[in-house]
Amino acid sequence: MKSPTLVVFLGDLGATPVELMVGSAQRAAALDTIAAAASSGAFARAILATDQAFVEDLPPGLELDIDDGPFHFGRRLAGIIRRHPLTPVVYLGGGSMPLLDGAGLSQIARGLEGDRARTNNRFSSDLVAFPITPKVLAAVEGVDRDNALARALEENGDLAVEEVPRTLATQMDVDSPSDVAVLKLTGVGGKRFNEYLRTLELDLSRYRRALPLLIDRQAQIVVAGRVGSHAWQYLERETACRVRLFAEERGLESNGRAVTGAPRSLLGFFIEVAGIQRLFEVLPSLGDAAFIDSRVLLAHFGIDATREDRFLSDLGRWSQISDPFLRDFTSAAVEARIPVLLGGHSLMSGGLMALNEFAWREYESRSP
């Protein structure tokens, strides 16, 4: 099979400072990934689909495909495939898997055979490698969001979907400020990405307070949100602490539940009965730190918070949040007696993995 083309999508950075911070991190990570792919020798070419202008040096050979109209994910990707034309393709969302190096990308690119696709997560895909057939192209065209791409190829494209091993490199994404904070603290990632992170002033105190708990056999942490079985198994296997887990609403975005009014959260029901303040009074009796997927709670209450508000919440900047519920919830989380880390799906997976591995590295570096 011929070498695939890497197609990376990098969209709107946003207009507010907190959105631009995350968007700029995604941009740096995307360029690092493209450079790593080029150095691997496993890709025929690389195309960056974007609505952004670039003044910085781009990786050699990178082709830009500029957005020229209303955006629809599937039609945009199918259009690129037809226009260039491409087969096979490795699709990657901008900012996804910033820790995946050239060797990892090469392994994915060289593993394409026959009627098979490869992905990092069949239920919420950030990376999908796949051959091109008329039926595959039709399946791609109908996909609204990239995290539903792998399932669409399996259900409508007649491809067998195989998941690559779920490691820190394949599960860590840059989707929110909590992901940026985790990666700034741990110091991992590519050259452009880390150069950008060094320019940021972020309050990492809550993350630092949580770190030693992960390697403490007497400690317990609370993890609530979209936690997959791989993350649960990782926590059981790799952390020293006990874990109190509330896993709920997996597939919130990829299967469209977020817009149907169907999501339900145990923490949400607790807040309905007892209130936000009572939740954070009780939480220290359940664990010494808490990792909470705030997007599940927002979906439970039917709150369509802006991206800016969600990002400000992740940073703990409650006074700047416009939505009343999210402002009160974030304020209570910041003032809680235990460290409470707020974020989205990536915090529940790659973020926890990155923090745990960093905690062990710090411990081992101090050991005689």
Side-chain angles (χ1 to χ4, degrees):
M1 181 176 286
K2 63 186 292 188
S3 297
T5 295
L6 178 67
V7 179
V8 179
F9 273 34
L10 186 63
D12 177 28
L13 289 178
T16 66
V18 69
E19 291 174 296
L20 287 169
M21 179 191 76
V22 175
S24 298
Q26 291 173 335
R27 177 176 171 129
L31 294 178
D32 279 337
T33 298
I34 291 166
S39 68
S40 74
F43 293 85
R45 59 203 290 201
I47 297 172
L48 179 61
T50 184
D51 59 0
Q52 301 176 21
F54 287 83
V55 295
E56 64 264 51
D57 292 336
L58 298 177
L62 175 63
E63 303 169 51
L64 295 181
D65 191 291
I66 305 299
D67 291 345
D68 56 2
F71 180 80
H72 177 275
F73 171 75
R75 290 194 291 271
R76 181 82 170 96
L77 179 55
I80 290 171
I81 293 169
R82 289 192 181 101
R83 236 180 357 262
H84 283 280
L86 307 178
T87 182
V89 167
V90 176
Y91 164 79
L92 182 70
S96 299
M97 289 177 279
L99 307 184
L100 194 62
D101 59 14
L105 288 161
S106 177
Q107 187 176 24
I108 291 169
R110 299 183 194 281
L112 281 172
E113 296 177 357
D115 296 330
R116 183 175 69 166
R118 311 189 80 199
T119 183
N120 69 315
N121 186 336
R122 69 178 352 107
F123 298 108
S124 184
S125 50
D126 302 295
L127 177 147
V128 189
F130 56 97
I132 303 300
T133 67
K135 197 158 189 178
V136 164
L137 202 54
V140 168
E141 202 157 24
V143 179
D144 292 329
R145 302 172 61 97
D146 67 345
N147 54 18
L149 179 59
R151 290 181 66 184
L153 294 178
E154 186 171 45
E155 295 170 2
N156 304 318
D158 285 349
L159 296 183
V161 174
E162 171 190 270
E163 289 190 347
V164 299
R166 295 200 179 193
T167 64
L168 173 57
T170 63
Q171 300 304 303
M172 187 72 221
D173 296 325
V174 180
D175 288 329
S176 73
S178 56
D179 307 322
V180 175
V182 166
L183 292 171
K184 180 174 174 64
L185 175 64
T186 58
V188 292
K191 179 182 177 182
R192 289 177 178 84
F193 185 67
N194 273 293
E195 284 177 351
Y196 174 68
L197 293 192
R198 282 193 287 272
T199 69
L200 300 179
E201 292 292 333
L202 296 177
D203 180 6
L204 303 177
S205 59
R206 287 177 295 150
Y207 296 84
R208 292 191 181 281
R209 287 171 61 197
L211 278 178
L213 302 173
L214 297 168
I215 58 174
D216 182 353
R217 293 184 183 276
Q218 305 305 314
Q220 180 164 256
I221 63 172
V222 176
V223 180
R226 291 166 289 175
V227 184
S229 59
H230 71 282
W232 168 239
Q233 291 169 15
Y234 175 90
L235 292 171
E236 283 290 284
R237 185 177 65 249
E238 302 294 342
T239 63
C241 64
R242 291 170 292 128
V243 179
R244 189 185 299 272
L245 175 68
F246 303 106
E248 46 191 16
E249 291 301 339
R250 291 185 64 200
L252 181 68
E253 300 291 344
S254 61
N255 67 11
R257 285 178 59 81
V259 297
T260 64
R264 295 294 180 265
S265 165
L266 186 62
L267 267 62
F269 284 123
F270 185 101
I271 290 172
E272 286 182 17
V273 173
I276 292 172
Q277 290 300 327
R278 184 58 180 156
L279 171 65
F280 287 100
E281 290 170 2
V282 169
L283 208 52
S285 67
L286 301 177
D288 303 297
F291 298 77
I292 299 177
D293 183 352
S294 61
R295 282 54 168 176
V296 172
L297 277 173
L298 291 172
H300 171 93
F301 287 106
I303 297 173
D304 186 20
T306 64
R307 181 167 61 175
E308 180 187 18
D309 272 0
R310 297 195 306 270
F311 285 2
L312 289 169
S313 175
D314 294 344
L315 291 172
R317 298 175 184 173
W318 60 269
S319 63
Q320 301 173 42
I321 297 172
S322 59
D323 180 80
F325 171 85
L326 191 56
R327 181 173 60 245
D328 292 346
F329 181 82
T330 305
S331 173
V334 169
E335 295 168 2
R337 299 199 307 273
I338 62 173
V340 178
L341 306 184
L342 304 177
H345 177 263
S346 186
L347 178 63
M348 301 290 106
S349 181
L352 273 166
M353 296 168 75
L355 289 171
N356 181 65
E357 293 189 12
F358 181 66
W360 283 114
R361 286 200 305 273
E362 282 206 323
Y363 172 78
E364 289 166 0
S365 69
R366 295 192 300 267
S367 300

